[in-house]
Amino acid sequence: MKRIYIQEVVTRDGFQAESAFVPTEQKIALINRLSRAGYAKIEVTSFTSPKAIPMLADAEAVMQGIDRIPGVEYTVLIPNLKGAERALSVGVDEFNLVMSVSEAHNQANLKMSREDSFKGLSSVIDLAHANNTAVNISLSTSFGCPMSGIVSLAELMHWVDRFAARGVRGITVCDTTGMANPAQVHSICEAVQTKYPKLQWTLHFHNTRGMGLANALAAVNSGIVRFDSSLGGLGGCPYAPGATGNICTEELVHMFDLMGFNTNMQIDALLDCSKDLQSLIGRTLPSQLLMAGKVDQLHVAPCQP
Amino acid sequence: MKRIYIQEVVTRDGFQAESAFVPTEQKIALINRLSRAGYAKIEVTSFTSPKAIPMLADAEAVMQGIDRIPGVEYTVLIPNLKGAERALSVGVDEFNLVMSVSEAHNQANLKMSREDSFKGLSSVIDLAHANNTAVNISLSTSFGCPMSGIVSLAELMHWVDRFAARGVRGITVCDTTGMANPAQVHSICEAVQTKYPKLQWTLHFHNTRGMGLANALAAVNSGIVRFDSSLGGLGGCPYAPGATGNICTEELVHMFDLMGFNTNMQIDALLDCSKDLQSLIGRTLPSQLLMAGKVDQLHVAPCQP
């Protein structure tokens, strides 16, 4: 049975898109439940400026409040040296850095050039290595940019090469706004793994145009075993108001489990967490599985008129 | 470029799940627009009892009212001999017959045993052949039944064998309530095509649990080139109120086009039809693509706070 590693991003990527603050205790309670559901990794929070993302202003308190279950890696998003220092002060298993492959998206999202991002992140990598902390780089808009269009493999590989040379442990290839298609996923996954077979590769898909799970299937068929996903599909797309965001964890796990892969996940616990998350944020989540129930959940015949 | 054949089911499978009657003229207008969008086949309506499905009581009027564009096949759902005679009176390109592979679903949906269904449909096949009309059989719940669970390949193959022996032109393997997974799709597509390479095979997926396009990808990777889908994803699932139904045509076409396949479809015309369908039925459709726009539709940077 092929082992698949599921990495939860709901309390960072998901919450980041929410306007109403989720109390620190609720965040901790959710992460503690998720920690016991079988994840390989949980992206707990982001050590970004509290002014930029007030939702995650309690990053230290959350990291210090959660139970750290052996076998689960607790990663955090680190935008710069200041964030890295804050993270080191509470202890994290991994720094997850981020920049965009597309210049336009990096400017729009991070307000600086890619070269300036790389320079800043290089200092963060040095600090991480000096503190024996693993580093992952999430490359946003690896497949396409909502402003400048399709991203070429050569452009992606340029940044992969530069971060590989800086000694990162892993690279997450992110389809930030749901522009990837399965053929493109296949060719990119083949290319990056062939060139860097020892790096820890993660694929990060969004379901913005309905292709999320098809892309995950294409990735797993290309040898990828690590996936980011968000509980209930929480998250959005700033370029398409109302559109969905990250692929939904329980749908990804449900599909892979049915296919006979070993995700190590407890799907019923996930569905319970997702249901409670709906109550927490006060609206219906995009999770189709939450609505329809698992395949093995049998029904009686519906009433006919 | 691999040729993919798209078969629209919105005015039959989609409308059938709607409660408010869509006026005959509106149905005709929609089909006339769809006819010019590049479909291989359109399932126009169903010649079922007007009492059972009042929405499709105007089957003759719709068939007689539409423009029949050369190159597009106009198929209709035929439940029994009476329906077949009605369809012959107005002329159709194909009879699409239906029964369930699962006994429980056949009883729930058609109120008879599979043996009785087969017997009745055999008479319809004889009538079709006597009138030089092509026959397709749609095998519902080919992957799983919401009441009795997963359907075995052997059980599916039993009904495939019996209809193949009756001389049907095509068989549609239907995942009626969205229970299929990509591994199962792959093994079933391989098995049926290997045994009957000359039959016209169609795959019919629902997105009830989010796996719709992943299953379509698995099917196309297994050599399938014909797909049913519903404009805007219109349709539902009687076993999961509020859940989505058929896979969404524009999302399927968008994905296959991006992958470099030749769907022959005019995606912009499709999106226009889908948008207008939302107005027609008065609510938001499940189409993610309608919300987010195509991948090649570029954006300006979103306003940042």
Side-chain angles (χ1 to χ4, degrees), chain B residues 252-268:
Chain B
L252 182 74
V253 168
H254 179 251
M255 179 175 83
F256 282 157
D257 284 352
L258 288 174
M259 293 179 72
F261 298 145
N262 172 19
T263 61
N264 191 47
M265 297 293 299
Q266 298 185 29
I267 183 85
D268 291 323

Side-chain angles (χ1 to χ4, degrees), chain A residues 164 168-171 192-201:
Chain A
V168 299
R169 178 182 64 165
I171 298 181
V192 297
Q193 291 176 107
T194 300
K195 189 156 187 188
Y196 298 105
K198 289 186 180 162
L199 279 180
Q200 187 184 90
W201 291 102

Side-chain angles (χ1 to χ4, degrees), chain A residues 52 108-109 111 145-150 178-184 207-211 213-215 217-218 221 238-244 251 254-255 258-260 286 288-289 291-302 304-305, chain B residues 52 108-109 111 145-150 178-184 207-211 213-215 217-218 221 238-244 251 254-255 258-260 286 288-289 291-302 304-305:
Chain A
N109 201 37
K111 318 288 179 215
C145 165
M147 286 158 285
S148 56
I150 298 306
M179 295 175 70
N181 71 74
Q184 187 189 19
N207 195 37
T208 321
R209 290 163 181 90
M211 291 181 280
L213 290 195
N215 285 332
L217 177 65
N221 284 343
Y239 298 88
T244 57
E251 288 180 2
H254 179 252
M255 180 176 84
L258 289 173
M259 293 178 73
Q288 299 281 324
L289 191 64
M291 181 84 80
K294 294 180 299 174
V295 159
D296 62 11
Q297 190 181 310
L298 299 183
H299 298 256
V300 294
Q304 302 268 349
Chain B
N109 201 38
K111 318 288 178 213
C145 164
M147 286 158 286
S148 56
I150 298 305
M179 296 175 70
N181 71 74
Q184 187 189 20
N207 195 36
T208 321
R209 291 166 180 88
M211 292 181 280
L213 290 197
N215 285 332
L217 176 64
N221 284 343
Y239 297 89
T244 57
E251 288 180 1
H254 179 251
M255 179 175 83
L258 288 174
M259 293 179 72
Q288 299 281 325
L289 191 64
M291 181 84 79
K294 294 181 299 173
V295 159
D296 62 12
Q297 191 182 310
L298 299 184
H299 298 258
V300 293
Q304 302 268 349

Side-chain angles (χ1 to χ4, degrees), chain B residues 81-112:
Chain B
L81 265 182
K82 176 152 177 50
E85 282 155 6
R86 287 172 59 203
L88 286 175
S89 77
V90 292
V92 298
D93 296 325
E94 183 192 78
F95 285 2
N96 184 26
L97 316 183
V98 63
M99 68 169 277
S100 303
V101 175
S102 142
E103 181 70 22
H105 191 264
N106 208 69
Q107 291 283 2
N109 201 38
L110 303 176
K111 318 288 178 213
M112 65 177 92

Side-chain angles (χ1 to χ4, degrees), chain B residues 265-299:
Chain B
M265 297 293 299
Q266 298 185 29
I267 183 85
D268 291 323
L270 271 187
L271 283 163
D272 286 344
C273 287
S274 187
K275 203 174 149 197
D276 292 345
L277 179 59
Q278 280 199 157
S279 310
L280 185 62
I281 63 162
R283 66 167 197 281
T284 304
L285 288 168
S287 173
Q288 299 281 325
L289 191 64
L290 200 55
M291 181 84 79
K294 294 181 299 173
V295 159
D296 62 12
Q297 191 182 310
L298 299 184
H299 298 258

